[in-house]
């Protein structure tokens, strides 16, 4: 089954991973008379391609579950998406404040803060003004691979500091000039919420790929990571990858979207970082944070951030595998 | 206090008969009250005067019949509509909390033809508003179309047009508006007049029937979430990957952290039961017809309301999620709930009702969830929040129209109760039964006190029965307490269902928790088990069964009123005994096949109707109990003697009893059958032996045993003594 539509290309879309997913479709032996069938939904979420795969004997049940998932995705896109006019995040960025924020907005911003602290500011949702500067630069000067001028970067950097996001129960405030992006973590968060929703309804044997990949308990799913031949058996865990290549800014060796808030430049330690963690939000935030942090801090960051494994691939093709 | 008063008076020389009568009246008055008018008025004819006012232009009307009660109205031989009473259909009550009765006519097309106020107890008359104003207002419903919600709204607007006439009575009038329209829609739907509306699924905002908390929980009308410290810690470990973010627990994992109940209360079956008719009507008055109201209650150390809302107006710990909508609850949505009026509710630390205006887009028919936000500080500082959802799926019975209507409305309470129990168990909450015990410490103590008193009565039975008047008073008072406190108040009526489920659990894996859920029932069963081994089944049947007490007290009254008593010939009596054993064996056999069927079959017990549900049930159940009680006026404890499957079940292990404390004389059955005649349940054989299968241990025969004014051997012995004394006296006289 295929419902929904692939969204129009958005700036953040092609940074997305080149990950092939295949389910090991080993049916449970001795299952009930009705054999589970595989149902798939493909569409878009948060400006990325999305896919839900689930096994169930009953088509109506599968459709109902997917409908509930889509409601949840849409609800959270109304919160976190930069691509939806009138989303809570856009309103916050426009007005500098958001009154009566949802639980989800508070939860996600507090979670961001944890990873900001853990990564000593390498991961920072208030990087949005810098990202906008780069985006404008490459719109106006597509061939200027040097990127924005140091003065321009310095000018926007004064607005980057996650500690100046005031997260209150009744309102969230930003200082003038600040703006947030949750693209480094919202996909993971949404994936987790959808996973929680399905689990509460009693589902297992589900694979979610809403930009980040998460498998519910049950059958193992084989997931291929970029740059690795062997696939990974994923069950009751999540995996996320951050890769600089294929950024919307420029092809080849030019700047990409994974910008470091302190240097104001694209991070250059790795070609790609994949993280396996219990939750998709953790995998998502850690893959971004690891990508931006110096390699010598990787192991500690992974451990303290709750990651389980990380695959760090250098630009020259050599790789490192960390296991906590 | 009343009991002790009765007790002391009964001992004094004041005519005890008048007292007994008062006692009986006090006991049966709830029956009259609870029976309600709905079956009393069945068959009532609509008089021509009423017809002319309520349905102008009609020729004649039939009598009130059907469900809900309504009378067909005819013109030229064709049925053109219905007349009904709001009191019958929706049990309308006014601001005073007392019934309001309005006769209303509707055409086949759903137009109200007229309305007539028949009786009311509204306080407006007291404060000087003319009765006529209210009657005029009611008459003004003529012409309202019940299909149109807009029209419904117009009714309410019209109230505002009459402020001079009924100022100070706006609550009464909006209650009237609501009950007229609700009743009209109920009748129209039941008679198939709302075909156009039926096609579309909508929320049932009309049907009211009594239900207690347990029933609403069991059928999904009230949803429940329980979180203890262990759950929170586990959730932080599972759902937040950051190490050290889990709950820094110095509390025991099984300690309650937070507990939530929520329900959509716009359907009257939920709202009116939960809040009571007055508060519910007040709430409806404050809402627009398109608004929805939900109830949220909580327990535990983590309050769902918190305190910040008092300053900020935002309830920052809860949000409602439905589909892709998030609804934040703010102060203006909030309605204070003084108290929950529903029976069998647990203690609730905080309660509130939230009215969701139509512009929130909340759809009462679709699934929604209440999310509780919990915050924890992590080791490295900063907060990590987690949401705990409580899902609410509207039970099918509140959906009208579509194809789910009739199937969903069938009354299958027992299924739901069983489901509820299973849920309670599968939730794996070790603390649940414990909490029930903690919550009911007062009741447990009272019950233990009562059982201690009963034990004393049994141990000192010889001393007690020698004091006739004291024995009679003690017995009457004890039975009254059994009926009123154990039965009606505490709801601790043992039932054959307990026996069947016990056997089932032995077959399918016994679990203490299942039986510990209800502390009073558990204690009673424990006590019954012990007394069964000591004295037989009579201790329960004769002293602790509320329905048995009800029968005996009613029969006591019947005797005072000189209603003739029927003595069943022993040969017949003996042959009727096995009926109850057959019923029990039948139920037992059925229970091996299906517990649910057995539980439905155990409706042969009138206990649920008469005791647990205080007679507030569909009329066939009430009629059945009424019939049994009526028979009981002539044949004491008719039900116990011949029909009670619980009594039959208890009689089986009672064979093992160890004590024979009921004293007999050599002459019993040979020379005298006085006790056999006086025995409450005719358990004494003509040969003088007491049949322990039937005996209810009421001690009446023991009172006879010691009564030297009644018991023939004692009487003759006394006479011999007197004669001897007289002779002696005469001899002494002569000698002197």
């Amino acid at each position: 089954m295929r419902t929904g539509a692939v969204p129009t290309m958005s700036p953040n879309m092609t940074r997305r991973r080149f990950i092939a997913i295949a389910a090991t479709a080993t049916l449970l032996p001795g299952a009930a008379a009705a054999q589970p069938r595989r149902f798939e939904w493909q569409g878009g979420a948060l400006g990325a391609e999305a896919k839900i795969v689930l096994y169930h004997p009953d088509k109506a049940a599968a459709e109902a579950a997917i409908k509930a998932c889509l409601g949840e995705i849409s609800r959270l896109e109304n919160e976190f998406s930069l691509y939806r006019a009138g989303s809570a995040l856009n309103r916050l960025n426009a007005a500098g404040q958001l009154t009566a924020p949802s639980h989800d907005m508070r939860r996600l911003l507090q979670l961001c803060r944890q990873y900001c602290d853990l990564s000593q500011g390498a991961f920072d949702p208030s990087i949005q003004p810098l990202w906008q500067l780069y985006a404008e630069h490459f719109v106006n000067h597509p061939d200027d691979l040097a990127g924005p001028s140091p003065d321009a970067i310095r000018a926007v950097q004064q607005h980057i500091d996650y500690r100046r996001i005031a997260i209150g129960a009744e309102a969230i405030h930003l200082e003038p000039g600040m703006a947030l992006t949750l693209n480094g973590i919202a996909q993971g968060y949404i994936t987790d919420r959808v996973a929680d929703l399905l689990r509460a309804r009693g589902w297992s044997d589900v694979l979610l790929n809403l930009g980040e990949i998460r498998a519910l308990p049950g059958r193992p799913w084989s997931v291929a990571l970029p740059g690795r031949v062997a696939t990974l058996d994923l069950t009751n865990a999540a995996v996320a990858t951050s890769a600089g290549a294929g950024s919307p800014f420029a092809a080849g060796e030019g700047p990409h979207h994974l910008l470091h808030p302190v240097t104001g430049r694209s991070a250059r330690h790795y070609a790609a970082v994949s993280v396996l963690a219990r939750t998709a939000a953790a995998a998502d935030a850690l893959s971004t944070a690891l990508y931006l942090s110096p390699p010598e801090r990787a192991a500690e960051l992974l451990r303290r951030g709750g990651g389980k494994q990380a695959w760090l691939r250098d630009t020259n093709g050599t790789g490192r595998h960390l296991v906590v | 206090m009343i009991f002790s008063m009765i007790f002391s008076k009964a001992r004094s020389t004041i005519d005890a008969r008048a007292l007994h009568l008062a006692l009986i009246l006090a006991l049966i008055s709830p029956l009259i009250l609870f029976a309600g008018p709905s079956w009393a008025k069945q068959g009532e004819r609509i008089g021509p005067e009423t017809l002319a006012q309520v349905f102008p232009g009609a020729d004649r009307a039939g009598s009130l019949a059907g469900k809900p009660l309504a009378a067909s109205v005819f013109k030229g031989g064709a049925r053109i509509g219905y007349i009904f009473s709001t009191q019958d259909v929706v049990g309308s009550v006014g601001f005073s909390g007392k019934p309001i009765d309005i006769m209303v006519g509707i055409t086949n097309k759903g137009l109200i033809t007229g309305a007539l106020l028949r009786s009311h107890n509204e306080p407006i008359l007291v404060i000087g508003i003319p009765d006529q104003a209210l009657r005029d207002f009611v008459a003004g419903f003529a012409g309202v179309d019940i299909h149109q919600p807009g029209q419904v709204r117009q009714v309410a607007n019209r109230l505002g047009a009459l402020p001079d006439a009924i100022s100070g009575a706006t609550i009464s009038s909006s209650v009237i508006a609501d009950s007229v329209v609700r009743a009209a829609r109920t009748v129209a739907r039941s008679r198939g007049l709302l075909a156009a509306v039926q096609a579309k699924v909508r929320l049932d905002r009309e049907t009211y029937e009594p239900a207690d908390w347990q029933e609403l929980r069991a059928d999904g009308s009230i949803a429940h979430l329980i979180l203890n410290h262990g759950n929170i810690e586990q959730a932080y470990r599972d759902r937040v990957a950051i190490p050290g973010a889990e709950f820094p627990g110095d509390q025991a994992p099984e300690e309650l952290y937070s507990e939530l109940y929520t329900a959509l209360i716009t359907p009257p079956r939920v709202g009116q039961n939960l809040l009571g008719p007055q508060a519910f009507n007040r709430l409806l008055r404050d809402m627009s017809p398109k608004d929805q109201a939900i109830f949220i209650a909580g327990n535990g150390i983590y309050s769902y309301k918190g305190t910040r809302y008092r300053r900020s107006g935002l309830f920052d710990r809860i949000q409602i999620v439905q589909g892709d909508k998030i609804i934040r609850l703010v102060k203006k949505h909030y309605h204070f709930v003084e108290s929950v009026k529903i029976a069998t509710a647990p203690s609730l630390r905080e309660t509130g009702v939230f009215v969701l205006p139509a512009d929130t887009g909340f759809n009462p028919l679709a699934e929604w969830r209440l999310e509780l936000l919990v915050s924890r500080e992590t080791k490295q500082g900063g907060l990590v929040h987690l949401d705990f959802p409580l899902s609410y799926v509207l039970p099918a019975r509140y959906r009208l129209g579509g194809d789910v209507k009739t199937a969903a409305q069938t009354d299958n309470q027992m299924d739901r109760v069983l489901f509820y129990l299973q849920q309670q168990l599968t939730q794996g909450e070790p603390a649940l039964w414990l909490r029930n015990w903690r919550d009911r410490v007062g009741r447990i103590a009272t019950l233990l006190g009562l059982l201690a008193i009963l034990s004393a009565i049994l141990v000192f039975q010889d001393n007690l029965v020698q004091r006739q008047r004291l024995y009679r008073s003690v017995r009457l008072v004890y039975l009254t307490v059994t009926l009123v406190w154990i039965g009606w108040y505490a709801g601790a009526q043992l039932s054959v269902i307990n026996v069947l489920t016990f056997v089932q659990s032995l077959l399918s894996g016994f679990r203490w928790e299942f039986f510990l859920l209800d502390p009073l029932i558990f204690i009673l069963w424990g006590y019954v088990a012990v007394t069964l081994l000591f004295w037989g089944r009579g201790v329960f049947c004769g002293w602790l069964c509320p329905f048995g007490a009800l029968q005996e007290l009613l029969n006591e009254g019947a005797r005072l009123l000189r209603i003739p008593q029927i003595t069943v010939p022993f040969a017949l009596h003996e042959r009727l005994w096995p009926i109850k054993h057959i019923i029990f064996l039948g139920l037992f056999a059925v229970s091996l096949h299906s517990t649910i069927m057995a539980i439905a079959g155990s409706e042969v017990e009138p206990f649920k109707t008469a005791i647990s549900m205080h007679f507030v049930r569909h009329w066939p159940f009430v009629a059945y109990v009424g019939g049994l009680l009526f028979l009981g006026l002539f044949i004491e404890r008719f039900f116990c003697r011949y029909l009670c499957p619980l009594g039959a079940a208890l009689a089986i292990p009672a064979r093992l009893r160890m004590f024979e404390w009921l004293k007999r004389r050599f002459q019993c059955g040979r020379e005298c059958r006085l006790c056999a005649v006086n025995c409450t349940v005719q358990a004494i054989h003509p040969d003088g032996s007491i049949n322990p299968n039937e005996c209810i241990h009421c001690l009446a025969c023991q009172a006879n045993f010691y009564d030297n004014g009644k018991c023939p051997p004692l009487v003759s012995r006394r006479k011999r003594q007197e004669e001897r004394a007289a002779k002696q006296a005469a001899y002494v006289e002569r000698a002197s």
Side-chain angles (χ1 to χ4, degrees):
Chain A
M1 90 192 222
R2 187 189 165 95
T3 52
V6 178
T8 51
M9 289 286 276
S10 55
N12 213 25
M13 161 133 190
T14 48
R15 90 162 167 110
R16 282 292 136 205
R17 306 93 223 233
F18 304 94
I19 300 171
I21 305 147
T24 50
T26 46
L27 296 176
L28 293 170
Q35 289 288 328
R37 288 186 280 155
R38 179 184 172 116
F39 296 97
E40 279 190 28
W41 167 85
Q42 285 189 326
L46 275 166
E49 266 191 70
K51 187 172 176 179
I52 300 172
V53 187
L54 37 81
Y55 280 86
H56 199 273
D58 181 27
K59 186 176 181 198
E63 279 174 338
I66 283 171
K67 196 178 161 209
C69 293
L70 296 187
E72 188 71 355
I73 293 168
S74 173
R75 175 178 82 83
L76 295 170
E77 284 198 273
N78 286 338
E79 289 292 307
F80 306 132
S81 177
L82 286 170
Y83 316 120
R84 275 199 185 182
S87 73
L89 184 62
N90 276 333
R91 280 182 282 135
L92 174 63
N93 283 343
Q97 70 162 357
L98 181 68
T99 52
S102 69
H103 290 182
D104 299 278
M105 184 61 87
R106 285 168 65 196
R107 262 180 80 178
L108 186 54
L109 288 180
Q110 294 286 11
L111 194 62
C112 277
R113 214 191 150 104
Q114 292 289 321
Y115 286 103
C116 296
D117 283 341
L118 285 170
S119 66
Q120 300 176 351
F123 176 86
D124 189 334
S126 65
I127 202 163
Q128 179 68 0
L130 183 65
W131 197 92
Q132 270 169 334
L133 181 71
Y134 271 81
E136 279 160 31
H137 172 86
F138 283 106
V139 168
N140 297 327
H141 315 283
D143 302 323
D144 182 7
L145 292 184
S149 71
D151 286 347
I153 289 175
R154 234 172 284 123
V156 295
Q157 268 178 326
Q158 61 177 315
H159 300 301
I160 300 175
D161 185 353
Y162 67 92
R163 285 163 297 202
R164 287 188 271 148
I165 309 169
I167 312 166
E170 287 85 26
I172 292 165
H173 293 277
L174 301 180
E175 288 183 6
M178 286 179 79
L180 307 185
T181 171
L182 296 170
N183 287 350
I185 193 169
Q187 281 95 339
Y189 178 84
I190 295 176
T191 309
D192 288 337
R193 289 291 299 212
V194 172
D196 290 343
L197 184 101
L198 288 173
R199 291 207 63 185
R201 288 164 163 253
W203 282 84
S204 54
D205 296 334
V206 177
L207 184 73
L208 299 168
N209 179 11
L210 308 173
E212 312 307 336
I213 296 166
R214 180 164 167 178
L216 264 58
R219 70 181 69 228
W221 303 79
S222 73
V223 173
L225 300 180
R228 287 182 81 243
V229 178
T231 57
L232 180 69
D233 274 352
L234 194 66
T235 178
N236 195 18
V239 65
T241 299
S242 288
S247 86
F249 295 154
E253 295 300 302
H256 58 76
H257 67 286
L258 289 167
L259 300 168
H260 196 284
V262 179
T263 63
R265 299 292 176 188
S266 300
R268 294 287 176 200
H269 310 298
Y270 308 104
V273 173
S274 300
V275 173
L276 177 80
R278 193 199 300 269
T279 69
D284 198 1
L286 281 174
S287 70
T288 310
L290 283 175
Y291 193 97
L292 297 172
S293 299
E296 62 273 17
R297 297 206 47 237
E300 195 204 350
L301 183 54
L302 185 71
R303 182 179 55 80
R304 294 186 59 199
K308 296 224 173 102
Q309 297 184 52
W311 293 265
L312 310 158
R313 193 161 55 85
D314 296 345
T315 37
N316 58 18
T318 58
R320 203 154 54 114
H321 183 198
L322 298 177
V323 179
V324 172
Chain B
M1 211 202 125
I2 290 169
F3 297 136
S4 63
M5 196 176 74
I6 290 169
F7 184 80
S8 63
K9 275 191 180 176
R11 291 190 64 186
S12 73
T13 51
I14 295 171
D15 186 6
R17 184 172 291 178
L19 194 72
H20 283 182
L21 191 65
L23 187 68
I24 303 307
L25 278 179
L27 286 173
I28 60 175
S29 60
L31 310 190
I32 297 164
L33 208 85
F34 283 127
S38 60
W39 52 283
K41 282 197 340 203
Q42 173 109 29
E44 185 186 322
R45 287 202 78 82
I46 306 298
E49 279 172 43
T50 308
L51 184 64
Q53 288 189 59
V54 174
F55 216 125
D59 292 339
R60 64 180 182 87
S63 48
L64 292 174
K67 192 188 163 195
L69 284 182
S72 300
V73 176
F74 299 91
K75 184 176 186 177
R79 178 163 55 208
I80 55 171
Y82 294 88
I83 289 182
F84 56 89
S85 135
T86 57
Q87 177 56 36
D88 282 343
V89 177
V90 292
S92 46
V93 292
F95 177 55
S96 61
K98 302 237 172 61
I100 286 186
D101 196 3
I102 302 165
M103 292 300 281
V104 183
I106 46 165
T107 67
N108 287 341
K109 290 186 174 160
L111 277 182
I112 294 180
T113 54
L116 172 68
L117 183 63
R118 293 218 305 186
S119 71
H120 70 88
N121 299 281
E122 291 312 85
I124 48 170
L125 296 176
V126 181
I127 57 170
I129 290 160
D131 193 40
Q132 194 55 42
L134 194 58
R135 294 187 181 282
D136 290 348
F137 166 69
V138 169
F141 279 92
V144 168
D145 183 351
I146 61 168
H147 287 97
Q148 304 287 331
Q151 293 265 9
V152 176
R153 201 58 198 139
Q154 271 186 5
V155 173
N157 288 340
R158 201 182 311 188
L159 304 179
L162 294 168
D164 299 327
I166 357 182
S167 80
T170 46
I171 296 168
S172 294
S173 38
S174 62
V175 166
I176 288 170
D178 178 61
S179 48
V180 166
V181 173
R182 251 169 61 192
R185 293 182 75 101
T186 305
V187 169
R189 203 176 58 244
S190 73
R191 302 305 195 265
L193 306 183
L194 283 182
V197 177
Q198 246 176 11
K200 215 176 130 200
V201 178
R202 62 177 185 83
L203 184 68
D204 183 355
R205 298 184 72 141
E206 291 94 32
T207 310
Y208 169 73
E209 63 180 55
D212 65 17
W213 176 279
Q214 299 290 335
E215 286 176 57
L216 294 182
R217 279 281 298 112
D219 66 23
S221 304
I222 301 175
H224 179 217
L225 172 72
I226 186 158
L227 296 170
N228 55 37
H229 288 278
N231 298 140
I232 303 279
E233 193 172 336
Q234 189 62 41
Y236 268 88
R237 211 173 290 131
D238 287 350
R239 289 164 56 196
V240 180
I242 302 172
E246 70 261 15
F247 189 57
D250 46 1
Q251 282 89 352
E254 68 274 8
E255 282 285 313
L256 179 67
Y257 182 70
S258 190
E259 179 178 34
L260 283 180
Y261 293 97
T262 194
L264 180 77
I265 60 167
T266 337
R269 186 171 175 274
V270 188
Q272 193 167 329
N273 279 313
L274 207 54
L275 304 180
Q278 272 173 275
F280 184 58
N281 282 320
R282 228 168 348 201
L283 176 71
L284 291 183
R285 182 201 61 197
D286 293 344
M287 289 166 56
S288 131
K290 287 186 175 170
D291 296 350
Q292 297 295 334
I294 60 169
F295 167 81
I296 305 176
N299 280 324
I301 58 158
Y302 188 67
S303 152
Y304 80 79
K305 286 179 188 167
T307 52
R308 301 179 68 111
Y309 76 95
R310 296 204 185 112
R311 272 179 297 111
S312 68
L314 176 74
F315 288 87
D316 60 311
R317 294 177 175 184
I318 44 173
Q319 70 181 13
I320 288 176
V321 173
Q322 182 175 55
D324 63 356
K325 279 186 276 298
I326 301 172
I327 300 169
R328 299 312 308 270
L329 299 174
V330 295
K331 235 190 206 160
K332 70 169 191 204
H333 297 144
Y334 175 65
H335 283 241
F336 175 68
V337 177
E338 209 172 308
S339 63
V340 171
K341 295 280 195 266
I342 190 166
T344 69
S347 55
L348 300 169
R349 192 166 79 93
E350 48 181 4
T351 54
V353 164
F354 295 86
V355 171
L356 305 180
D359 62 25
T360 57
F362 180 76
N363 173 8
L365 300 171
E367 182 178 348
W368 51 276
R369 64 183 193 261
L370 177 68
E371 291 190 334
L372 180 70
L373 189 72
V374 171
S375 308
R376 288 291 147 220
E377 234 174 88
T378 61
K379 261 188 224 155
Q380 59 256 37
L383 292 174
V384 175
H385 304 295
L386 262 190
D387 269 303
F388 292 85
L390 169 55
S391 277
Y392 191 87
V393 179
L394 186 73
R397 66 188 303 147
Y398 305 117
R399 280 168 213 275
L400 298 181
D403 49 4
V404 289
K405 185 191 55 148
T406 42
Q409 280 174 353
T410 52
D411 188 12
N412 217 345
Q413 283 163 340
M414 270 309 151
D415 279 16
R416 296 195 299 266
V417 171
L418 269 192
F419 174 72
Y420 169 70
L421 281 177
Q422 274 163 5
Q423 260 195 333
Q424 292 288 334
L425 291 177
T426 49
Q427 269 180 355
E429 288 301 334
L432 182 70
W433 65 267
L434 203 62
R435 279 202 298 137
N436 285 347
W437 284 69
R438 264 188 231 147
D439 285 356
R440 292 170 206 170
V441 165
R443 289 180 179 207
I444 291 169
T446 309
L447 181 64
L448 290 176
L450 285 174
L451 296 178
I453 292 171
L454 180 55
S455 308
I457 291 174
L458 295 169
V459 170
F460 299 107
Q461 60 183 35
D462 290 342
N463 308 62
L464 177 66
V465 294
Q466 287 178 42
R467 294 167 182 80
Q468 290 281 332
R469 269 175 185 263
L470 177 63
Y471 159 70
R472 296 277 304 147
S473 313
V474 165
R475 176 136 182 94
L476 278 181
V477 170
Y478 204 94
L479 288 182
T480 308
V481 173
T482 294
L483 174 62
V484 176
W485 193 85
I486 297 184
W488 283 332
Y489 176 74
Q493 163 84 57
L494 302 189
S495 157
V496 71
I497 297 172
N498 306 135
V499 178
L500 298 177
T501 44
F502 180 72
V503 175
Q504 276 293 312
S505 80
L506 289 182
L507 295 176
S508 63
F510 181 81
R511 288 183 68 182
W512 278 108
E513 295 92 318
F514 192 90
F515 297 93
L516 286 166
L517 280 175
D518 190 328
L520 296 190
I521 299 282
F522 183 84
I523 292 169
L524 270 174
W525 268 114
Y527 187 80
V528 169
V530 172
T531 58
L532 207 58
L533 291 178
F534 286 0
W535 296 287
R537 69 143 167 146
V539 176
F540 168 71
C541 297
W543 294 90
L544 293 172
C545 175
F547 189 76
L550 174 63
Q551 290 178 99
E552 189 164 333
L553 291 168
L554 285 176
N555 184 272
E556 200 72 34
R559 284 166 193 263
L560 282 174
L561 297 171
R562 306 205 178 285
I563 291 175
Q565 297 295 303
I566 299 170
T567 308
V568 185
F570 198 81
L572 173 64
H573 179 57
E574 209 174 16
R575 283 165 179 76
L576 292 175
W577 283 345
I579 297 177
K580 58 178 175 290
H581 298 282
I582 294 169
I583 293 176
F584 171 68
L585 289 176
L587 287 176
F588 182 72
V590 169
S591 78
L592 295 178
H593 169 65
S594 154
T595 315
I596 290 173
M597 269 172 70
I599 285 172
S602 69
E603 285 288 352
V604 71
E605 282 182 340
F607 304 161
K608 192 176 165 201
T609 309
I611 306 298
S612 322
M613 298 184 74
H614 305 101
F615 291 94
V616 188
R617 273 192 103 175
H618 294 319
W619 70 265
F621 292 101
V622 179
Y624 171 65
V625 178
L628 289 177
L629 292 176
F630 181 75
L631 282 171
L633 296 179
F634 306 97
I635 301 174
E636 185 163 14
R637 286 182 174 254
F638 176 84
F639 177 77
C640 309
R641 292 181 181 202
Y642 306 126
L643 299 178
C644 183
L646 177 59
L650 293 180
I652 297 169
R655 292 246 150 215
L656 297 171
R657 76 197 183 287
M658 299 185 266
F659 304 151
E660 296 288 356
W661 283 11
L662 298 180
K663 295 199 168 67
R664 307 300 290 153
R665 293 183 193 287
F666 172 73
Q667 293 91 338
C668 293
R670 297 163 199 261
E671 297 165 15
C672 167
R673 287 175 189 158
L674 185 68
C675 297
V677 173
N678 285 345
C679 177
T680 321
V681 289
Q682 284 181 260
I684 303 179
H685 284 258
D687 69 5
S689 64
I690 297 173
N691 184 339
N693 284 344
E694 302 300 319
C695 174
I696 61 159
H697 214 94
C698 66
L699 303 178
C701 55
Q702 298 305 291
N704 270 346
F705 182 91
Y706 285 108
D707 190 340
N708 59 12
K710 271 190 193 161
C711 182
L714 284 186
V715 170
S716 53
R717 187 162 69 191
R718 197 195 63 212
K719 279 186 181 155
R720 278 200 303 277
Q721 279 171 350
E722 280 169 1
E723 273 166 27
R724 207 179 306 139
K727 273 182 199 162
Q728 222 160 20
Y731 176 78
V732 169
E733 203 173 317
R734 248 184 289 143
S736 70

